[in-house]
Amino acid sequence: MKKTKSRIPTRRSLSVLRQLCNLIPNHLVPKLARATGVDKKARTFLPWSHVVSLLYAHLVHALSLNDVCDGLHLHAGPLSSIRAATPPSRNNLSHANKNRDASMAEQLFWGVLEHLQSLDRRFAHGWRGKGLTRRFKRAIHVVDSTTIQLIASCMDWAQHRRRKAAAKCHLRLDLHSFLPRFAIVDTARHHDNKRAREMCAGIRAGEIVLFDKAYMEFLHLWELLQRGVFWVTRAKDNLQYDVIERRRTPKDKRIVSDEIIVLTTDATRRQYPGRLRRVVARVEVNGVEQEMVFLTNHLEWAATTVADLYRCRWQIEVFFKQIKQTLQWADFLGTSANAVRWQVWMALLAYVLLRFLAWVHSWGHSFSRLFTVVRAVLWQRWALEDLFAFYGTAGERYRMVAMPQQAYLPGFE
């Protein structure tokens, strides 16, 4: 009988969880704990153990504090090899989430992301091979927010409607690398356009930003124009304007009109005194064809380019979907605002660590499948390169990150 080739990865001295945690620099957590004052509130449950515990909670999709504590106590031996991390008690973990400054988790995320980008320049800058990424060598940013539903009865700090509570994560995504560049975690009671300036503050001249009409504020759009930033958004239905130039539409029947306009009301004219580009395109949404109106401050792009750029905005929805379907953004381990922020920032950290492993080991399948494989072998002492090469039932290879040229908007396939 012919022997089949073994599909067991090479044994290593380090568990998969330890290999993942080793991507975090040794000095970073103690440094941030001192800077934020977290170390003064930590006695038996150290900040490093807190970070590992929350990473573990996301990677196993823990539903409660008991899930985290019981799982780590059962693996206290392997856990201690991760820089002497210790399993928490339920009260210790709950107290740490509530009282330790969540700005430490935020700074840890950005510090680790910067470290990983310094290890591999291609991971930092992403794919620039073909399609829109070849046409636009400049950075393309996408700004959007996602609502995180919470329980109104015990999280009254997050109440934003009569019987609902929610937090909101505003995020700016680099479309080339598919990595976050700026994020704000806050309650959902404020309108998105209140955060528009903060979200676009780090964008440099010549770069492109895409956002939905919820972030549209004409004074902010004018400020972006003065900074040399190009933007594309959708027009609101009640926009009042005069047409000063009608441009010839391309042969592509999806483009209905291409106009140069100026705003007419006193308030909007004061906020944005310049000219705008208004492109109307015919798209299919949920099986029904309808017209969609786009605005931009770039007057020279082709009308189809404006529509193609806006369809790339949908990729941030893919990002949020990957986070919400894999990591723990549904069941929270605490009810305080600080605990929610800890969990949201640690979810983003876990995402970036997994993405870096996928990049280094040339993972060819989806992010959700990567998460499933890592979760199943978290305490195994296996080589990651063999694990990612051997495991999985499907033989085909897929793009780990959807590229801008693959972005989907019905009617613009």
Side-chain angles (χ1 to χ4, degrees), residues 57 316 359:
I316 198 169
W359 178 273

Side-chain angles (χ1 to χ4, degrees), residues 214-252:
Y215 283 91
M216 191 173 71
E217 183 191 14
F218 285 114
L219 182 58
H220 176 235
L221 297 182
W222 179 252
E223 293 170 357
L224 290 176
L225 177 64
Q226 301 307 303
R227 287 165 45 192
V229 176
F230 301 115
W231 49 265
V232 178
T233 185
R234 283 182 61 192
K236 294 184 178 181
D237 297 334
N238 61 351
L239 183 68
Q240 298 184 35
Y241 62 91
D242 284 336
V243 178
I244 61 174
E245 179 185 349
R246 286 187 170 86
R247 297 189 171 183
R248 180 180 301 178
T249 57
K251 295 181 180 180
D252 193 331

Side-chain angles (χ1 to χ4, degrees), residues 23-25 28 107-116 349 353:
L23 294 175
I24 303 175
L28 190 56
Q107 294 176 41
L108 178 63
F109 168 75
W110 295 116
V112 171
L113 179 58
E114 183 180 359
H115 170 69
L116 297 179
L349 177 60
L353 292 175

Side-chain angles (χ1 to χ4, degrees), residues 70-117:
D70 292 346
L72 291 177
H73 274 282
L74 290 172
H75 297 90
L79 178 65
S80 66
S81 67
I82 307 175
R83 302 178 200 167
T86 57
S89 67
R90 187 181 186 278
N91 286 341
N92 277 345
L93 183 55
S94 175
H95 184 270
N97 289 338
K98 182 178 180 179
N99 294 285
R100 295 180 182 179
D101 191 353
S103 64
M104 174 184 162
E106 179 179 356
Q107 294 176 41
L108 178 63
F109 168 75
W110 295 116
V112 171
L113 179 58
E114 183 180 359
H115 170 69
L116 297 179
Q117 290 174 331

Side-chain angles (χ1 to χ4, degrees), residues 159-394:
Q159 187 172 359
H160 75 115
R161 292 182 184 173
R162 186 175 179 182
R163 296 182 180 178
K164 292 186 178 181
K168 185 174 284 189
C169 179
H170 303 265
L171 189 129
R172 188 176 83 231
L173 188 71
D174 186 331
L175 205 57
H176 288 100
S177 64
F178 216 63
L179 294 173
R181 295 304 177 196
F182 188 79
I184 298 173
V185 180
D186 201 356
T187 61
R189 62 171 58 98
H190 302 295
H191 196 273
D192 287 348
N193 62 16
K194 301 297 183 183
R195 295 293 190 181
R197 285 179 174 79
E198 295 174 82
M199 300 305 301
C200 299
I203 301 177
R204 295 176 291 183
E207 296 180 345
I208 302 170
V209 59
L210 318 172
F211 43 81
D212 198 7
K213 56 186 176 182
Y215 283 91
M216 191 173 71
E217 183 191 14
F218 285 114
L219 182 58
H220 176 235
L221 297 182
W222 179 252
E223 293 170 357
L224 290 176
L225 177 64
Q226 301 307 303
R227 287 165 45 192
V229 176
F230 301 115
W231 49 265
V232 178
T233 185
R234 283 182 61 192
K236 294 184 178 181
D237 297 334
N238 61 351
L239 183 68
Q240 298 184 35
Y241 62 91
D242 284 336
V243 178
I244 61 174
E245 179 185 349
R246 286 187 170 86
R247 297 189 171 183
R248 180 180 301 178
T249 57
K251 295 181 180 180
D252 193 331
K253 295 182 180 179
R254 297 171 300 179
I255 304 300
V256 177
S257 64
D258 182 6
E259 302 166 334
I260 304 297
I261 65 171
V262 292
L263 304 176
T264 56
T265 64
D266 293 339
T268 56
R269 190 63 182 269
R270 284 195 303 269
Q271 294 173 353
Y272 198 101
R275 297 186 298 169
L276 289 166
R277 179 95 171 273
R278 182 178 181 271
V279 175
V280 181
R282 188 178 292 111
V283 300
E284 183 181 328
V285 179
N286 297 327
V288 179
E289 192 174 80
Q290 65 181 43
E291 293 184 355
M292 203 171 281
V293 183
F294 307 112
L295 290 179
T296 181
N297 63 340
H298 199 293
L299 306 182
E300 304 301 328
W301 286 333
T304 51
T305 298
V306 175
D308 287 340
L309 273 172
Y310 187 81
R311 78 173 174 177
C312 294
R313 193 200 68 81
W314 293 82
Q315 284 307 298
I316 198 169
E317 304 294 346
V318 174
F319 175 88
F320 288 136
K321 183 179 179 180
Q322 289 179 350
I323 294 282
K324 287 186 171 183
Q325 289 188 345
T326 54
L327 304 172
Q328 193 52 289
W329 266 19
D331 299 288
F332 286 86
L333 304 179
T335 58
S336 66
N338 197 69
V340 170
R341 289 190 176 95
W342 263 103
Q343 195 160 332
V344 170
W345 283 109
M346 294 307 295
L348 293 174
L349 177 60
Y351 172 84
V352 167
L353 292 175
L354 291 173
R355 278 286 317 281
F356 185 75
L357 287 181
W359 178 273
V360 170
H361 299 294
S362 302
W363 176 257
H365 302 279
S366 67
F367 179 81
S368 60
R369 189 173 171 198
L370 168 72
F371 174 82
T372 302
V373 169
V374 171
R375 181 179 60 177
V377 297
L378 206 57
W379 297 107
Q380 297 290 338
R381 298 184 176 185
W382 287 346
L384 287 174
E385 58 270 18
D386 291 347
L387 173 68
F388 293 157
F390 286 154
Y391 278 78
T393 55

